Amino acid sequence: MIDFELTSSDQEILHLAHQQALIGRRYASYYDKHEDELPPDEFPEAKGLPNPVELAGEGVRGSSGARVLHSLVMLETNWGGLAIHRSKWGLGNTVLQTVATREQIEKWKDYTIAIAITEPGAGSDPANIRTTAVFDRETDEWVINGEKIFISQAQSGDAAMVLSRFVGPDGSRGLTTFLVEKGTPGFMVGPQLRKLGIRSHDTCNLLFENCRIPEFNHIKGDFKSTMSVFNDSRPMVGAMALGAARAALDFTREKLAERGIEISYQGGARGRSTIADRFMRLEAVYEAALLTVLRSKWLEQQATPPKVEASIAKAAGGKAARRITQGCIDLLGPEALSEDHPLDRCFRDGRIYDIYEGAGEIQRLIIARAILGYTNRELR
């Protein structure tokens, strides 16, 4: 039996995360309107405060487990819209820890590493990647050429984990991964991208022009192992989506209360207003999506690879964020669109969670294949 009741340790860390999210909310609007300006590594109010993300990752004694707790902390952080401690861990770090050698891990263990997969013609399908890496026998180096777009932590990170097509010294071909450090000749980071939502999020394009890296930087894990890191990150995106969704619900509840509309859970549907009923249905969507995230993270802690469950959590969280933020705007009307309130930002931020780290449509394909027993070729 799975029990998702929070322990006292969970509650202490989540309380800390929520208090810091309240601080982050005070800055979220500013960085939403000044997207060319990256938030600092640490806000003044954060000095001396423990980072709840790090606390969750340490697997605090008496907690529900590091991975479950981490997802709940990320939900709280996204409720505020901005973290007051910048994360030093990128998705590329997970790739490093998963498939790299001991020597490679030791060299780059203190780096913040972005992951660079998406290209102008290759979004949800890595098979369309056109970035190339060719081995130069004369110098024993790899020469990388190509472009990556919409890369998180591109500017604030120390390196990028680049998925590329390769032509090896023996003529072999396929997809593989390379770690390219900042400052490497031929590796260029573009300016911050202007986006509909998550404007405070570090997002840039990367360009590689005859970028030479040593063989040591070749991360030789197989393609499937590299892509398996998304089984960890996709439920986290679902949790982040639910942070924006819950912020929208909380704001809407406050505004409805100001209008004299209380949300009462006593009695049946006939005993409450249409507005209250619609609000409660949005809450049900939130609760259902949250359970998919928690189940996926719980399975990870049981050392059970949650590929399908991760896709379910990602698809459910992303869809919930879109449906809930839109639904809250419908309930509040024109007032919801004011930039003086967080709902405007939550609505715009909510668009991305159903897109990045595997679009919702792709996740639903993965789920359908698993349920129906189809291969990638049979159902695409």
Side-chain angles (χ1 to χ4, degrees), residues 242 249 279-291 316-317 319-321 323-324:
L242 293 176
L249 287 169
F279 182 85
M280 292 172 67
R281 289 176 185 274
L282 293 177
E283 284 188 313
V285 171
Y286 170 86
E287 295 290 345
L290 177 58
L291 288 173
K319 186 176 181 178
R323 181 176 174 183
I324 290 169

Side-chain angles (χ1 to χ4, degrees), residues 63-239:
S63 76
S64 297
R67 298 190 179 186
V68 168
L69 185 54
H70 187 196
S71 67
L72 293 173
V73 166
M74 291 304 297
L75 189 155
E76 288 292 342
T77 300
N78 264 48
W79 179 91
L82 189 66
I84 63 173
H85 307 269
R86 179 181 290 171
S87 174
K88 296 181 179 179
W89 187 272
L91 192 52
N93 291 82
T94 305
V95 175
L96 184 74
Q97 294 292 328
T98 302
V99 300
T101 65
R102 290 182 182 177
E103 294 77 15
Q104 290 171 326
I105 293 173
E106 181 61 28
K107 179 176 180 180
W108 296 309
K109 63 182 180 182
D110 296 325
Y111 278 34
T112 298
I113 307 171
I115 191 166
I117 297 178
T118 305
E119 297 183 5
S124 298
D125 188 358
N128 292 327
I129 282 176
R130 294 293 176 263
T131 295
T132 60
V134 179
F135 190 77
D136 186 340
R137 293 174 179 272
E138 296 183 2
T139 61
D140 290 333
E141 294 175 316
W142 291 91
V143 184
I144 301 177
N145 284 281
E147 180 183 9
K148 299 291 183 178
I149 60 174
F150 303 124
I151 306 303
S152 298
Q153 296 173 299
Q155 186 173 322
S156 58
D158 303 298
M161 195 71 72
V162 182
L163 190 64
S164 169
R165 296 197 171 278
F166 75 92
V167 179
D170 59 353
S172 58
R173 297 171 181 268
L175 286 168
T176 192
T177 313
F178 300 91
L179 187 140
V180 186
E181 299 180 63
K182 288 283 189 67
T184 303
F187 176 25
M188 289 153 279
V189 179
Q192 288 295 314
L193 297 174
R194 303 184 69 82
K195 307 181 293 295
L196 171 71
I198 58 167
R199 293 176 177 175
S200 62
H201 186 69
D202 174 12
T203 315
C204 304
N205 294 344
L206 306 179
L207 184 64
F208 303 90
E209 290 186 348
N210 295 322
C211 178
R212 290 180 171 269
I213 59 170
E215 168 62 19
F216 182 83
N217 289 43
H218 186 192
I219 311 297
K220 295 182 179 180
D222 64 88
F223 174 67
K224 287 186 177 180
S225 296
T226 299
M227 297 303 290
S228 71
V229 301
F230 290 104
N231 293 337
D232 169 76
S233 66
R234 282 173 177 155
M236 296 303 293
V237 173

